[in-house]
């Protein structure tokens, strides 16, 4: 009895010692996080890789058939999937470019000191913090072709009413909502960067008689280039995976004119019940995102080292 | 001479004003408009030209409670609201607990491989959530968890963890080391020092981190759309189902949108200054 008690105590002590010294406690505290990541994120990821090699319909689970890379081949030959990949790159490219230009311009403006500056900074946070569903719904009201505010303003200015979510303009409209919601992100981090710039350099340039335009191109822009690259990395990563605003505004239509990869994945899986195709599309999205992001990160690293 | 300089100054002032006005109109108008819409009666909502001045009413909010968003028999918005609230609060609490422990470990205890682990966690954060929706659906389906809150709480928690660990890691690293050393000298255990000394000091950082978990769960559509159908639907799902073309339900639509926005706006203002740090976690310095 006594012996077993002693044994227990030392075992407990050993455990405590292990927890107190070395990496025991460290790994013990990390375990829940790593476990969650492994179970909920990595296992589904691997599972989706497996699914992408099969012809699998969840409504007929027993008819699973191995296809190898067949689904991937189909993605690259099927006109609709190819179109969705092209739309994704187009959407991301145009949105990110506009966000960077507009975001930087607004940041330069807010970097000036004037009354109401703080209020303005709060205002521009608003689109970024609201839900993507809410953003899309707000614009849905504005886009309405009969009673929407946008067409009302255009009519006031003497133009013809537009069908904003029709085949021709749907992509433009979806990009507009994306740019509206995420330009503030660029503004915010560029503004933080601008405020970290050395004041002496800017003052010295003013004394030397450089005008604002030249000062921006020769001093400010090179100095904030790393920050712009950070914004570029983040915005590209997030626009490539866009789903919610497009889903709510157009559902990928009309006539697939706004079909981006995110919507394509969702539609293929849950409307056409083709999990094999949906997961291969997913993996192509992952690979494209990784290549582009890592490319930018390489540029960023070179930029910050030199 | 004096005239020219003054003109220049006035011109710059006007330009500044115009610029600001354009930004406010562009950025704030859509949100203000949706809030205004939520306060209009069913005639004013669809009026053309659009009405800026009208007698406000809370009818739309009342209708949300009684007949919901579809105008059919689907019922009150109360259940989705409670679902959203529960899923958000539970997943945020879980994610923050797990991330505090992990962030502290990586920042202070620095086990072997901690650098590699941080990079790995960052890599996981780069993963597009949409690619996890399909396998998660299949897994939840085979576990019999479809249309339950667990089916969405679990992915929300896990998806929040990588960013939360990164942020908490950076907050813990900024705290002076002497504090815990003093606590340990005073006889506290390592964990005791973390719990009683460090965690309270990191509270502001904790709040800032929590808002990102909060937003992720509160705003999510991607996971909730396929994983919930009736019992466990959240507000974004209900809102996304409305067919807005007809305009009959614009008032209620506006009311739901406003309802979804209010909690986030309150939280955002509370932790505004930490947001930049969070947004660039892992890339910016």
């Amino acid at each position: 009895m006594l012996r077993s008690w002693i044994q227990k105590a030392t075992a407990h002590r050993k455990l405590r010692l292990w927890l107190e010294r070395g990496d025991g406690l460290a790994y013990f505290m990390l375990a829940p996080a790593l476990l969650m990541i492994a179970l909920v994120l990595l296992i589904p990821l691997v599972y989706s890789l497996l699914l992408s090699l099969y012809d699998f319909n969840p409504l007929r689970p027993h008819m699973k058939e191995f296809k190898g890379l067949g689904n991937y081949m189909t993605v690259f030959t099927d006109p609709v999937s190819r179109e969705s990949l092209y739309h994704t790159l187009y959407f991301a490219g145009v949105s990110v470019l506009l966000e960077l230009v507009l975001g930087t311009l607004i940041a330069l403006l807010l970097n000036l000191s004037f009354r109401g500056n703080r209020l303005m900074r709060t205002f521009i946070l608003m689109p970024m913090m609201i839900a993507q569903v809410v953003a899309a719904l707000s614009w849905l009201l504005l886009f309405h072709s009969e009673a929407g505010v946008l067409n009302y303003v255009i009519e006031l200015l003497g133009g013809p009413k537009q069908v904003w979510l029709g085949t021709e303009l749907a992509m433009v409209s979806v990009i507009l909502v994306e740019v509206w919601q995420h330009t503030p992100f660029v503004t915010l981090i560029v503004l933080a960067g601008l405020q970290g710039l050395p004041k002496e350099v800017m003052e010295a340039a003013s004394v030397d008689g450089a005008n604002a335009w030249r000062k921006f191109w020769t001093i400010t822009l090179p100095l904030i280039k790393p920050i712009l690259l950070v914004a570029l990395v983040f915005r590209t990563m997030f626009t490539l995976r866009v789903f919610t605003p497009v889903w709510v505004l157009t559902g990928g239509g009309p006539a697939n004119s706004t079909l981006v990869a995110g919507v394509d994945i969702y539609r293929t899986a849950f409307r056409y019940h083709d999990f094999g195709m949906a997961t291969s599309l997913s993996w192509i999205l992952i690979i494209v995102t990784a290549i582009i992001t890592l490319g930018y990160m390489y540029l960023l690293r070179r930029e910050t080292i030199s | 001479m004096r005239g020219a300089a003054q003109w220049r100054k006035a011109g710059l002032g006007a330009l500044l004003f115009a610029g600001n006005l354009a930004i406010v109109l562009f950025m704030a108008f859509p949100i203000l408009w949706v809030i205004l819409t939520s306060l209009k009666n069913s005639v004013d909502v669809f009026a053309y030209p659009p009405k800026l001045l009208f007698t406000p009413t809370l009818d739309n909010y009342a209708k949300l409670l009684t007949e919901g968003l579809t105008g059919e028999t689907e019922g009150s918005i109360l259940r989705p609201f409670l679902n959203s609230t529960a899923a958000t609060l539970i997943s945020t609490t879980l994610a923050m607990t797990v991330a505090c422990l992990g962030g502290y470990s990586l920042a202070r205890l620095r086990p072997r491989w901690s650098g590699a682990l941080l990079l790995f966690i960052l890599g996981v954060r780069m993963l597009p959530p949409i690619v996890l929706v399909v396998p998660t659906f299949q897994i939840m389906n085979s576990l019999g968890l479809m249309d339950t809150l667990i089916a969405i709480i679990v992915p929300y928690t896990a998806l929040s963890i990588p960013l939360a660990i990164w942020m908490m890691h950076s907050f813990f690293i900024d705290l002076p080391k002497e504090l815990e050393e003093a606590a340990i000298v005073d006889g506290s255990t390592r964990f005791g020092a973390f719990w009683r000394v460090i965690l309270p000091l990191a509270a502001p950082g904790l709040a800032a981190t929590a808002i990102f978990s909060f937003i992720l769960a509160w705003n999510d559509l991607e996971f909730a759309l396929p994983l919930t159908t009736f019992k466990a639907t959240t507000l974004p799902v209900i809102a996304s189902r409305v067919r807005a073309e007809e305009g009959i339900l614009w008032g209620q639509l506006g009311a739901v949108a406003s309802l979804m926005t209010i909690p986030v706006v309150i939280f955002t203002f509370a932790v505004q200054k930490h947001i930049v740090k969070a947004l660039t976690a892992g890339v910016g310095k």
Side-chain angles (χ1 to χ4, degrees), chain A:
Chain A
M1 160 93 189
L2 189 68
R3 234 181 100 182
S4 77
W5 185 79
I6 289 170
Q7 261 175 356
K8 237 187 212 163
T10 45
H12 187 68
R13 218 175 99 82
K14 261 186 198 156
L15 181 73
R16 262 191 52 190
L17 278 178
W18 178 76
L19 282 179
E20 288 293 311
R21 297 210 187 117
D23 288 349
L25 182 63
Y27 284 124
F28 188 70
M29 288 173 85
L30 262 173
L34 295 180
L35 216 64
M36 274 302 272
I37 290 175
L39 287 179
V40 188
L41 305 180
L42 296 185
I43 286 183
L45 192 67
V46 174
Y47 183 43
S48 88
L49 188 62
L50 285 177
L51 277 176
S52 75
L53 304 176
Y54 284 88
D55 183 12
F56 180 65
N57 178 339
L59 303 179
R60 286 189 294 277
H62 50 279
M63 283 173 66
K64 203 166 169 177
E65 192 190 324
F66 186 75
K67 279 178 86 176
L69 294 176
N71 288 323
Y72 292 90
M73 297 315 232
T74 317
V75 172
F76 287 116
T77 47
D78 176 45
V80 176
S81 312
R82 274 168 57 174
E83 206 183 7
S84 93
L85 290 178
Y86 168 73
H87 284 156
T88 311
L89 294 175
Y90 180 84
F91 174 86
V94 176
S95 304
V96 173
L97 184 70
L98 287 173
E99 282 164 20
L100 283 179
V101 173
L102 264 176
T104 308
L105 283 176
I106 298 177
L108 288 170
L109 182 82
L110 294 184
N111 195 37
L112 304 170
S113 59
F114 57 87
R115 269 173 66 188
N117 188 304
R118 293 200 117 211
L119 189 70
M120 284 295 300
R121 287 182 195 190
T122 309
F123 258 123
I124 60 149
L125 268 180
M126 278 168 66
M128 203 174 71
M129 291 331 237
I130 65 170
Q132 286 182 317
V133 177
V134 173
L137 290 176
S138 315
W139 280 92
L140 211 52
L141 300 188
L142 302 180
F143 282 146
H144 196 275
S145 38
E146 296 304 319
V149 174
L150 219 52
N151 271 348
Y152 174 68
V153 173
I154 284 183
E155 250 189 352
L156 273 189
L157 299 173
K161 281 186 174 179
Q162 303 290 329
V163 186
W164 291 99
L165 297 173
T167 317
E168 274 161 47
L169 283 178
M171 189 52 125
V172 175
S173 304
V174 173
I175 289 176
L176 174 63
V177 177
E178 161 67 31
V179 170
W180 172 76
Q181 194 167 22
H182 296 290
T183 294
F185 168 81
V186 180
T187 302
L188 215 60
I189 67 171
V190 171
L191 193 57
L194 284 174
Q195 280 166 347
L197 291 185
K199 279 222 165 64
E200 306 81 47
V201 180
M202 308 304 282
E203 275 159 15
S206 304
V207 172
D208 287 349
N211 65 26
W213 184 246
R214 268 205 52 186
K215 224 163 69 182
F216 173 74
W217 283 107
T218 56
I219 301 170
T220 315
L221 196 62
L223 283 174
I224 62 166
K225 210 163 141 194
I227 294 161
L228 286 175
L229 270 171
V230 171
L232 182 71
V233 169
F234 272 91
R235 284 321 311 155
T236 308
M237 220 163 66
F238 285 102
T239 45
L240 285 173
R241 64 177 69 159
V242 68
F243 168 75
T244 303
V246 182
W247 180 259
V248 175
L249 283 165
T250 65
N256 291 343
S257 61
T258 54
L259 188 69
V260 288
V263 175
D264 199 11
I265 292 170
Y266 186 88
R267 228 173 56 166
T268 309
F270 301 113
R271 193 167 293 165
Y272 308 138
H273 308 290
D274 190 342
F275 277 25
M277 277 291 279
T279 44
S280 358
L281 268 166
S282 302
W283 271 92
I284 290 171
L285 180 64
I286 294 176
I287 292 164
V288 170
T289 309
I291 291 173
I292 296 178
T293 320
L294 290 178
Y296 286 156
M297 296 259 258
Y298 172 75
L299 285 181
L300 178 66
R301 175 154 285 192
R302 231 181 38 186
E303 195 68 35
T304 40
I305 285 170
S306 67

